[in-house]
């Protein structure tokens, strides 16, 4: 059989092609081709095929290279070039098992991308998985750092990556092509027929490694990156998140050893402030080893957002620096959005909120969020909600947000607050369609994430912590009207869910805003709501001054609606303080006004007040008439349940135990329909009271236990049933 080199030279000269011309056609260097022709360089199938096509040899040149020819091996078992995954690699057993299984599965694609945020421990996990299955890959395991996100380093170019890989695959430097295409051809040829693991670590983009991963091979290629590398179409993806809390504590203790905090609770707090990010936990552990810090002092530094990131560096490693590498690589529009996202409260931001912050339409905002999501700087879930890891949020606030122009920041806050106020009002209108809301001058939001009262309640339940933070943010940015308006609208939800602490906190901030705005009517509304919150918590003495001040502010504003509402609130507090006669007088005054002005829901509420006050005075026919009218007029499911409970209580007080039991059962069903745990617990407590009054203690205990399972607090101020239950318990 003719020698390939000699036959190549004969055919080239026969058709009048120079070495320079052939080199340009096949993408190998002129010097390398000269060595091939003179028998000084090994021939591979990719080169033979390229030359055969360039010279029109109809397969005859390719036939001179045996199909079975395989690249020379380094010796039995191949190179194991994997770094140590670390003696402190802890946890991740589920991920390690899954990743190892994918490396061995014949059904999975040969290329996998292990991706996650900076410091998540991608490399350690990948190396551990490769080591676990190394014996199944006889041609070795190689590791290459592409320096895509290494601070102060220049990333490897695609050509440099190919060159370094070929040098380890037995390629002599003087035999390697000088151009990228030639290197790529040679890499694909070298990998064909081999069964090995390649770990391509710290890759920034798909283009860095595309020439390596595109060939046919029985090898497995694991790529680690902060990017999801979506352009690698044929790869499978393996996301790596932060550590579970217990594993993070174990990592802290493993690295810090005897220097770790002795108190488990303090250790758990520390890793929580580290966001359970392995890099952050390791840095903190190193600081314990270095000495000079008590656990409590280091915990406090981490708890303070102004010192958290500076605490998470040890001289050589830094969480902020790791994040900055990713941030600095972003184009300006993505850097701006990352900074603006720090203005959103520490909760997932729904799509409309992101668009409002950015001041962009849906398509452009989606594009920017997708790029940040691909880079693991934010997380976008299937609903489209966007969230930042706690440490990334701190980084964005400290490093990205200051790069946004002050005017741009202020405009973003205004857009966000307006969006969330309008959205909260839209939710409140579905839940409480008939209640009074002050005019706010905002258009109805488009594309609301709920369509009915149930969906609105779910949204409010998920978003209220963020909305409470927005109340504070609006005040800090001197958006005083929006501050008190949002707090006012949230009051019904807080009342419904008995969220008394955020109710009081938001309204105290709103009161400051209303005062700063110089709006006495707004002050009256917020003061009245604050009084209700204190009354709900059982602090009637604290509630009265708020209602009195509300009455004064409404009068100052000539707000007749407000003054009558304040008088109604004062009547309820009087009733709770045992002043039934005074309360009844005020209730009747208020009721007449509500009837005259057509405020039906307020009529229903006040009728319940008349019923309870009359019952306290033993005027049961009058009490029952008021309660039954309230039942007949109630329109909202929660009002129907509350009115039925009120009627049942009147029957109970009048010793109509059969009627009381029947009505409490109906109230419990209505409370179920309304989704009110409080009214259901009240009805069940009433059933227990009724059983106790009949002398059936066993039945009473059954109902009381079922009511207690709801874990709600039925204060005697609001729920007369609980007062009787407490008195009954005292007789046990």
């Amino acid at each position: 059989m003719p020698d390939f080199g000699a036959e190549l030279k004969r055919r080239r000269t026969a058709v009048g092609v120079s070495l320079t011309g052939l080199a340009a056609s096949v993408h190998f260097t002129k010097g390398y081709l000269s060595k091939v022709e003179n028998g000084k360089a090994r021939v591979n199938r990719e080169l033979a095929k390229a030359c055969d096509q360039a010279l029109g040899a109809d397969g005859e040149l390719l036939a001179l290279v045996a199909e079975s020819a395989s690249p020379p091996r380094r010796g039995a078992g191949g190179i194991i070039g994997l770094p140590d995954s670390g003696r402190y690699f802890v946890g991740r057993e589920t991920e390690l098992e899954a990743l190892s299984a994918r490396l061995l599965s014949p059904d999975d694609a040969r290329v996998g991308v292990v991706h996650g945020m900076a410091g998540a421990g991608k490399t350690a996990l990948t190396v551990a998985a490769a080591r676990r299955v190394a014996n199944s890959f006889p041609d070795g395991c190689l590791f290459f750092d592409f320096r895509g996100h290494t601070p102060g380093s220049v990333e490897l170019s695609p050509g440099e990556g190919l060159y370094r890989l070929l040098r380890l695959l037995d390629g002599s430097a003087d035999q390697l092509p000088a151009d990228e295409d030639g290197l790529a051809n040679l890499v694909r040829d070298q990998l064909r027929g081999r069964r090995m693991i390649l770990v391509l670590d710290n890759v920034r983009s798909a283009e860095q490694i595309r020439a390596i991963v595109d060939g046919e091979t029985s090898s497995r290629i694991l790529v680690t990156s902060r990017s999801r590398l979506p352009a690698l179409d044929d790869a499978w993806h393996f996301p790596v998140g932060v550590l579970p809390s217990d594993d993070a504590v174990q990592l802290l203790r493993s690295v810090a050893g005897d220097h770790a905090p002795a108190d488990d609770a303090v250790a758990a707090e520390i890793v929580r402030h580290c966001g359970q990010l392995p890099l952050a936990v390791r840095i903190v552990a190193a600081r314990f080893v270095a000495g000079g810090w008590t656990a409590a002092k280091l915990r406090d530094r981490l708890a303070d957002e102004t010192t958290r990131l500076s605490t998470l560096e040890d001289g050589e490693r830094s969480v902020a620096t790791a994040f900055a590498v990713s941030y600095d690589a972003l184009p300006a529009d993505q850097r701006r959005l990352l900074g603006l996202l720090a203005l959103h409260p520490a909760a997932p931001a729904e799509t409309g909120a992101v668009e409002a912050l950015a001041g962009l339409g849906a398509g452009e905002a989606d594009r920017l969020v997708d790029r940040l999501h691909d880079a693991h700087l934010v997380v976008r879930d299937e609903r489209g909600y966007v969230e930042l890891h706690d440490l990334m949020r701190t980084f964005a606030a400290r490093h990205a947000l200051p790069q946004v122009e002050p005017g741009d920041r202020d405009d973003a806050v205004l857009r966000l607050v307006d969006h969330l106020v309008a959205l909260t009002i839209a939710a409140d209108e579905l839940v409480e369609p008939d209640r009074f809301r002050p005019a706010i001058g905002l258009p109805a939001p488009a594309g609301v994430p709920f369509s009915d009262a149930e969906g609105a309640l779910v949204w409010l339940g998920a978003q209220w912590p963020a909305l409470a933070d927005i109340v504070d943010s609006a005040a800090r940015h001197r958006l005083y009207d929006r501050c008190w308006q949002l707090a006012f609208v949230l009051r019904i939800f807080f009342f419904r869910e008995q969220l008394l602490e955020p109710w009081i906190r938001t309204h105290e901030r709103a009161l400051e805003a209303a005062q700063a705005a110089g709006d006495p009517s707004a002050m009256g509304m917020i003061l009245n709501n604050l009084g209700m919150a204190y009354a709900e918590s059982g602090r009637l003495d604290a509630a009265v001054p708020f209602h009195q001040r509300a009455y004064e502010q409404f009068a100052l504003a000539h707000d007749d609606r407000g003054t009558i509402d304040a008088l109604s609130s004062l009547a309820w507090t009087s009733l709770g303080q045992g002043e039934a006669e005074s309360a009844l007088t005020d209730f009747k005054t208020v009721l007449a006004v509500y009837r005259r002005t057509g405020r039906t829901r307020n009529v229903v509420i006040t009728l319940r007040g008349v019923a309870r006050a009359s019952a306290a005075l033993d005027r049961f026919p009058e009490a029952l008439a008021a309660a039954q009218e309230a039942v007949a007029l109630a329109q909202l499911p929660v009002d129907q349940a509350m009115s039925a409970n009120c009627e049942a209580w009147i029957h109970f007080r009048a010793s109509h135990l059969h009627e009381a039991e029947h009505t409490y059962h109906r109230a419990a069903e209505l409370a179920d329909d309304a989704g009110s745990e409080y009214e259901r617990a009240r009805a069940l407590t009433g059933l227990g009271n009724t059983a106790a009054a009949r002398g059936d203690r066993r039945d009473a205990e059954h109902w009381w236990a079922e009511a207690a399972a709801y874990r709600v607090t039925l204060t005697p101020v609001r729920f007369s049933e609980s007062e009787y239950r407490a008195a009954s318990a005292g007789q046990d």
Side-chain angles (χ1 to χ4, degrees):
M1 178 181 292
D3 174 74
F4 179 86
E7 182 64 13
L8 173 64
K9 184 174 183 178
R10 186 189 70 77
R11 286 179 175 272
R12 177 179 62 77
T13 55
V15 295
V17 176
S18 66
L19 269 176
T20 301
L22 182 60
S25 298
V26 299
H27 303 294
F28 279 75
T29 65
K30 175 182 175 182
Y32 180 63
L33 290 176
S34 177
K35 290 178 181 180
V36 169
E37 289 186 350
N38 291 295
K40 296 179 179 180
R42 187 176 64 84
V43 182
N44 60 68
R45 284 188 52 77
E46 292 293 334
L47 173 60
K49 183 178 180 181
C51 291
D52 191 282
Q53 293 175 344
L55 299 176
D58 295 327
E60 293 179 6
L61 272 175
L62 182 59
L64 296 178
V65 180
E67 287 283 351
S68 60
S70 61
R73 300 289 189 259
R74 286 263 185 182
I79 300 176
I80 303 296
L82 296 172
D84 187 356
S85 57
R87 53 187 287 229
Y88 301 125
F89 180 79
V90 299
R92 303 279 196 203
E93 189 55 42
T94 300
E95 294 100 319
L96 184 57
E97 187 67 33
L99 186 55
S100 302
R102 297 204 75 162
L103 288 172
L104 296 175
S105 172
D107 298 325
D108 275 318
R110 64 188 180 279
V111 180
V113 179
V114 181
H115 53 83
M117 70 183 295
K122 303 176 291 294
T123 300
L125 174 63
T126 299
V127 169
R131 282 186 170 277
R132 178 173 285 194
V133 300
N135 289 339
S136 298
F137 293 86
D139 295 321
C141 303
L142 301 181
F143 180 94
F144 297 89
D145 182 358
F146 278 73
R147 303 198 301 261
H149 300 96
T150 302
S153 297
V154 178
E155 65 185 71
L156 291 189
S157 67
E160 191 173 0
L162 291 166
Y163 178 85
R164 292 191 179 193
L165 176 56
L166 284 168
R167 291 289 288 126
L168 278 175
L169 294 175
D170 289 339
S172 300
D174 60 351
Q175 295 180 347
L176 298 181
D179 64 301
E180 240 176 65
D181 284 341
L183 292 169
N185 281 322
L186 199 51
V187 162
R188 287 192 285 268
D189 178 72
Q190 286 283 333
L191 290 179
R192 181 181 288 111
R194 293 181 187 259
R195 182 168 172 79
M196 63 191 312
I197 294 178
L198 294 181
V199 176
L200 310 182
D201 186 53
N202 201 4
V203 171
R204 180 187 292 274
S205 68
E207 288 309 308
Q208 264 189 299
I209 58 170
R210 191 179 298 282
I212 298 174
V213 303
D214 278 354
E216 296 178 10
T217 178
S218 297
S219 298
R220 290 293 183 265
I221 302 174
L222 278 179
V223 182
T224 74
S225 180
R226 297 183 190 180
S227 170
R228 298 172 193 274
L229 301 182
L232 293 180
D233 296 333
D234 294 331
W236 46 265
H237 293 264
F238 196 95
V240 178
V242 298
L243 289 169
S245 179
D246 289 347
D247 286 352
V249 170
Q250 184 185 353
L251 176 61
L252 176 70
R253 294 198 179 284
S254 297
V255 179
D258 294 340
H259 304 279
D263 189 325
D264 288 340
V266 172
E269 281 187 81
I270 286 172
V271 300
R272 179 169 58 83
H273 292 312
C274 289
Q276 296 155 227
L277 187 71
L279 173 61
V281 174
R282 287 176 179 274
I283 290 173
V284 169
R287 298 196 68 163
F288 278 125
V289 172
W293 288 90
T294 66
K297 187 175 181 181
L298 199 55
R299 175 200 60 195
D300 293 344
R301 286 291 181 90
L302 289 167
D304 185 346
E305 287 195 3
T306 64
T307 57
R308 183 176 299 160
L309 288 180
S310 61
T311 305
L312 292 174
E313 58 177 277
D314 61 8
E316 295 188 21
R317 297 171 295 182
S318 164
V319 169
T321 301
F323 289 171
V325 172
S326 297
Y327 170 76
D328 291 342
L330 298 174
D333 53 358
Q334 293 175 36
R335 292 199 301 270
R336 171 181 176 268
L337 179 57
L338 183 64
L340 293 178
L341 285 171
L343 295 170
H344 191 277
E350 45 93 16
T351 303
V354 176
E355 293 166 6
L357 272 171
L360 298 171
E364 183 61 13
D366 282 344
R367 182 186 70 81
L368 296 179
V369 169
D370 282 346
R371 298 293 77 75
L372 294 176
H373 175 72
D374 288 343
H376 278 283
L377 294 170
V378 306
V379 175
R380 182 177 193 167
D381 66 22
E382 63 278 357
R383 302 169 301 168
Y385 280 48
V386 177
E387 189 169 12
L388 277 70
H389 181 274
D390 288 346
L391 294 181
M392 185 61 70
R393 174 177 297 282
T394 303
F395 174 85
R398 299 291 166 191
H399 294 267
L401 184 58
Q403 305 306 313
V404 181
E405 291 292 332
D408 194 5
R409 295 199 299 264
D410 291 342
D411 289 345
V413 171
L414 176 59
R415 290 191 301 266
L416 176 65
V417 171
D418 280 354
H419 169 76
L420 290 176
V421 169
L423 207 54
T424 305
I425 289 175
D428 189 58
E429 286 174 341
L430 287 171
V431 176
E432 299 273 355
D434 298 323
R435 89 176 184 101
F436 168 75
R437 298 171 194 83
I440 62 168
L442 288 175
V448 297
F450 41 77
S451 58
D452 53 24
E454 183 179 356
L457 283 171
V458 170
W459 183 84
L460 287 167
Q463 294 294 318
W464 73 260
L467 296 172
D469 286 346
I470 287 293
V471 170
D472 185 65
S473 179
R476 283 188 285 106
H477 287 84
R478 300 184 179 182
L479 302 174
Y480 298 129
D481 285 343
R482 294 292 182 253
C483 172
W484 71 258
Q485 288 164 356
L486 181 55
F488 179 86
V489 176
L490 284 170
R491 194 269 299 175
I492 283 292
F493 179 77
F494 289 153
F495 169 81
R496 181 189 182 96
E497 301 300 320
Q498 289 293 284
L499 297 169
L500 300 179
E501 187 280 328
W503 181 352
I504 292 172
R505 171 165 47 89
T506 56
H507 278 65
E508 286 176 341
R509 194 68 158 128
L511 182 58
E512 295 173 1
Q515 288 172 328
D519 187 338
S521 185
M523 288 179 63
M525 285 185 274
I526 298 302
L527 284 164
N528 209 38
N529 282 357
L530 271 169
M532 293 179 196
Y534 281 105
E536 287 296 313
S537 66
R539 292 174 282 177
L540 293 175
D541 289 343
V544 171
F546 284 107
H547 292 313
Q548 290 172 337
R549 289 172 60 195
Y551 188 92
E552 293 167 1
Q553 290 297 319
F554 283 131
L556 184 63
H558 304 290
D559 185 339
D560 294 338
R561 182 190 188 98
T563 54
I564 205 66
D565 287 343
L567 182 59
S568 174
S569 297
L570 283 167
W572 281 103
T573 53
S574 295
L575 179 61
Q577 291 175 316
E579 300 171 7
E581 194 69 66
S582 173
L584 185 58
T585 299
D586 287 341
F587 277 135
K588 288 182 176 180
T589 299
V590 169
L591 182 60
V593 175
Y594 286 154
R595 289 189 193 277
R596 185 175 68 249
T597 54
R599 296 174 62 180
T600 304
R601 179 147 195 249
N602 295 91
V603 168
V604 172
I605 294 170
T606 308
L607 283 167
R608 293 199 295 264
V610 169
R612 285 186 57 182
S614 299
L617 296 168
D618 293 335
R619 301 172 189 173
F620 298 120
E622 181 180 353
L624 189 57
Q628 289 175 337
E629 185 181 0
V631 169
L633 292 176
Q635 297 174 345
L636 294 175
V638 69
D639 270 335
Q640 293 169 353
M642 294 174 76
S643 299
N645 268 325
C646 179
E647 181 187 352
W649 169 250
I650 305 304
H651 283 304
F652 178 79
R653 284 281 286 108
S655 298
H656 305 156
L657 299 185
H658 176 75
E659 291 83 352
E661 182 178 23
H662 172 76
T663 310
Y664 274 130
H665 275 295
R666 181 159 55 87
E669 293 173 0
L670 290 168
D672 263 349
D673 294 340
S676 173
E677 291 188 356
Y678 292 91
E679 291 305 316
R680 179 162 176 81
R682 178 184 175 186
L684 296 174
T685 301
L687 286 168
N689 294 344
T690 305
R694 290 199 316 265
D696 189 343
R697 198 68 185 181
R698 182 176 179 180
D699 201 25
E701 294 293 347
H702 162 76
W703 291 116
W704 288 336
E706 190 172 337
Y710 282 93
R711 300 183 184 277
V712 297
T713 302
L714 303 178
T715 61
V717 172
R718 180 180 174 195
F719 300 106
S720 302
E721 288 81 4
S722 60
E723 184 177 10
Y724 180 90
R725 166 73 181 95
S728 180
Q731 297 169 5
D732 290 348

